[in-house]
Amino acid sequence: MMSKENSAPRIGLIEGIIVLIGMLIVMGVSVIKIQISPQIPILVVILLLILWAKARGFSWSSVNQGIIEGISTGIIPMFIFILIGALISSWIAAGVIPSLMVFGFHLISAKWFLPSVFLVCTIVGTAIGSAFTVISTIGIAFMGMGVTMGINPAMVAGAIISGAIFGDKTSPLSDSTNLASAVVGADLFSHIRNLMWSTIPAFLTSLIVFFLIGNTSAKLNAAAIDKTVRVLTTHYNITLWAFLPIILMFVCAWRKIPAIPTLFINIVVAVGMIFIDKPSTQIKAIVNVLTNGFVSKTGNQSVDNLLTRGGIVSMMVTIALIISALALGGLLMKFGVIEAVMGPLSRRLRSNGSLILAVILSGIGVNLFVGEQYLSVILPGNAFKETFSKAGLAPVSLSRALEDGGTVINYLIPWGVAGVFAANTLAVSTINYLPFAIFSLTSPIFSILSGYTRIGLKYLKTDENDH
């Protein structure tokens, strides 16, 4: 078996580039121009990739191993998505999200709604270290408020996602932040401190933009807000106890409890709140809500559209796409396509600016071609680690570029794991919210500027002083 693996065809740079460009054309035209869901285009690309691989002499064993190895990296995230589906429906049924909306209407004005949403999501995201959790909990409540206020849903989604990514990127509890520092061998807190050279300018730019577009776009519809509040108050249990699951999330984050037990705890508490509010509720009904989602029956179409969501079944489309995207990524790595393109690139660059730019572009490229957030950090990180060391740049310089070109970009890819999750959860397509995901758009720009101006770049001797 070893001889078969060693005799596998080697892919050249030009051939690798042609394969990747062909994939991008198929997916880009299908998803962006024709505007069809990305599942089928990805399957078509996988089919074409397998046909090409067989023509080049790869074995069926390599195909199967590539798919298995690719999908295996997403097992935990997919299980988390299943729990998030149950969490969303249980939070709505328990009155958590309706209560957040009602209290939010009283606390946040339409004029400053977008910057307020951005700031709240940054704070919560930093505290709990999970952008997915922020988007799927308070993010849904903010979407409901924004739609009721008459604000463009794409703008609201952009503010939610920008704030959630900031929190995820800067939190020591974040999986992606820990991964970026671990891949390059950097101290976690030195990595987070160095992130600020691009993160703070991106944060301030986002805040300013949301102040400007929020001030011009918010057209307060007081009658619609009053009507929505009355409907929510009549049909849901609006109470301060609704903040208990949110407090529990902060406690779990403080205690450094991982995502899976945190989600289980919150689902159990939400189910308990349902039984306390309506003791006659049957277990079968609760199971149906967790499985198939919550169905709002207030008689108000706008409220029902906002709150009919969640459930494990609702995540199956997202999980199907994730499986397909991860399988595609696994095949590209197994066939050596990614290595064929990134290897020569990492060896030919020497200047600081070109190195940072190459890492950023590599992260964006992996997001585009593989659609997986973690691989957009791991692959460029391994490819450029030695080059950065030879150039005298500290590991934190590489880890920051990995986050700015990898972690934050996945939310902008229509077939990316994070992009699909955010679009399905907030019911706004990736292409529509993309122009308003200001933090994701500006983080790579400030990182590239740092590389060429050398402002904020850390060198090996500087990094040693940080410890």
Side-chain angles (χ1 to χ4, degrees), residues 131-398:
F132 287 166
T133 305
V134 173
I135 291 169
S136 60
T137 53
I138 63 172
I140 292 177
F142 281 139
M143 282 300 300
M145 293 172 59
V147 170
T148 304
M149 290 178 174
I151 301 174
N152 184 345
M155 291 183 178
V156 182
I160 293 167
I161 292 166
S162 293
I165 296 172
F166 172 91
D168 197 342
K169 184 181 176 186
T170 58
S171 173
L173 304 174
S174 167
D175 289 344
S176 59
T177 301
N178 277 273
L179 176 65
S181 60
V183 164
V184 303
D187 174 72
L188 173 62
F189 290 97
S190 295
H191 165 63
I192 292 175
R193 285 197 300 271
N194 195 52
L195 277 175
M196 295 304 130
W197 288 101
S198 59
T199 301
I200 294 301
F203 168 84
L204 294 175
T205 302
S206 302
L207 187 60
I208 291 169
V209 171
F210 288 129
F211 264 112
L212 293 176
I213 65 176
N215 192 32
T216 57
S217 66
K219 297 178 180 178
L220 182 62
N221 189 338
I225 293 174
D226 291 341
K227 184 177 181 180
T228 299
V229 169
R230 285 197 303 271
V231 171
L232 292 172
T233 305
T234 302
H235 292 87
Y236 295 95
N237 183 28
I238 307 301
T239 171
L240 288 173
W241 284 108
F243 289 92
L244 177 60
I246 298 175
I247 294 172
L248 277 174
M249 281 202 307
F250 281 95
V251 171
C252 289
W254 175 60
R255 298 290 299 174
K256 298 183 180 179
I257 299 175
I260 290 176
T262 296
L263 291 170
F264 269 123
I265 291 170
N266 272 273
I267 292 169
V268 170
V269 170
V271 169
M273 292 172 64
I274 295 172
F275 279 117
I276 292 173
D277 180 42
K278 297 178 180 178
S280 61
T281 303
Q282 296 182 352
I283 294 178
K284 185 177 180 180
I286 296 294
V287 171
N288 183 62
V289 167
L290 296 177
T291 304
N292 299 309
F294 181 82
V295 179
S296 178
K297 299 178 180 178
T298 66
N300 183 291
Q301 185 175 358
S302 61
V303 172
D304 289 342
N305 289 339
L306 289 170
L307 297 181
T308 298
R309 61 176 69 209
I312 294 171
V313 172
S314 70
M315 288 293 167
M316 291 301 106
V317 173
T318 302
I319 290 174
L321 179 55
I322 292 169
I323 290 174
S324 302
L326 291 176
L328 174 59
L331 290 172
L332 288 171
M333 288 186 290
K334 191 66 177 180
F335 299 152
V337 176
I338 299 293
E339 182 183 354
V341 175
M342 291 181 57
L345 178 65
S346 66
R347 291 190 292 268
R348 294 176 184 175
L349 299 171
R350 288 294 178 265
S351 72
N352 295 335
S354 64
L355 280 172
I356 298 296
L357 176 62
V359 174
I360 297 288
L361 293 179
S362 297
I364 294 172
V366 173
N367 274 310
L368 280 170
F369 298 118
V370 181
E372 213 286 316
Q373 190 181 49
Y374 291 165
L375 292 179
S376 70
V377 171
I378 294 171
L379 295 180
N382 290 329
F384 285 92
K385 189 187 301 184
E386 183 179 350
T387 308
F388 266 63
S389 179
K390 289 180 178 178
L393 291 172
V396 292
S397 294
L398 174 56

